[in-house]
Amino acid sequence: MKYEDLLEESTSHDVYVVENADFKSKADGLINGNVIGINRQIRTCRKRVCVLAEELGHYHTTVGDIISQSTTLDHKQELRARVWAYNKLVGLNGIINSYKHGCYSLHDTAEYLEVTENFLFEAIQYYKGKYGVYATIDNYVIYFEPSIGVFELV
């Protein structure tokens, strides 16, 4: 999903995105109500996509101020927002589509999905924790270890 698509989705939910925000904290992005700020220090479009998706995840899934991450509930809400972003930008179907387009490495898959390699790696670790070593969807098996692999069942 492209950055512009996420901006359009934000607009459709009446969420205002402040690009190039100047934060006092080291956060990449922050949300307050229906305003999302993206840190001006983020220069790459791929990282901006990942940050905006996670902040939209907070908009859709988080309640209250969880910046301090001082409680278990805060950590759970943080994870819920990240999972929302993983599913929005990667998802099992995204992994399959990247395979169909000839992506056979983490780097190629991240490029195809227009996310950072780190974001893709974290998404794969999440899916591995959720599904185990592999997941089956439609006629495909996605292996999460020892590295990402997709096989079509015949």
Side-chain angles (χ1 to χ4, degrees):
M1 173 168 272
K2 297 189 180 306
Y3 186 72
E4 294 78 23
D5 297 330
L6 287 173
L7 288 174
E8 283 181 28
E9 181 170 334
S10 301
T11 301
S12 73
H13 291 283
D14 294 322
V15 175
Y16 181 68
V17 178
V18 178
E19 299 178 86
N20 299 318
D22 194 15
F23 295 152
K24 289 183 170 81
S25 72
K26 294 183 183 196
D28 291 335
L30 293 170
I31 184 167
N32 186 2
N34 68 336
V35 178
I36 293 173
I38 307 293
N39 194 326
R40 76 174 55 234
Q41 300 300 318
I42 298 174
R43 303 249 185 255
T44 66
C45 188
R46 285 198 186 132
K47 178 123 187 211
R48 292 174 80 81
V49 166
C50 299
V51 170
L52 180 52
E54 185 174 332
E55 296 308 319
L56 275 173
H58 283 295
Y59 174 77
H60 290 292
T61 66
T62 304
V63 177
D65 181 357
I66 65 166
I67 291 175
S68 67
Q69 291 291 297
S70 59
T71 69
T72 302
L73 182 59
D74 292 350
H75 291 287
K76 286 180 180 179
Q77 289 194 89
E78 184 67 33
L79 177 60
R80 199 173 307 132
R82 285 188 186 174
V83 168
W84 189 94
Y86 296 154
N87 290 330
K88 189 74 169 174
L89 299 180
V90 178
L92 297 180
N93 284 317
I95 294 170
I96 291 169
N97 289 336
S98 65
Y99 164 77
K100 288 178 181 179
H101 281 87
C103 302
Y104 303 112
S105 70
L106 189 71
H107 174 77
D108 291 343
T109 303
E111 282 215 1
Y112 175 78
L113 296 172
E114 298 185 14
V115 298
T116 64
E117 285 184 47
N118 189 56
F119 185 88
L120 177 59
F121 178 80
E122 290 174 358
I124 290 169
Q125 293 306 304
Y126 167 76
Y127 294 137
K128 180 178 156 187
K130 180 176 181 178
Y131 298 108
V133 175
Y134 68 92
T136 303
I137 181 169
D138 298 327
N139 285 340
Y140 294 91
V141 178
I142 304 168
Y143 283 92
F144 304 114
E145 74 176 37
S147 63
I148 189 170
V150 179
F151 299 94
E152 186 173 7
L153 301 174
V154 279

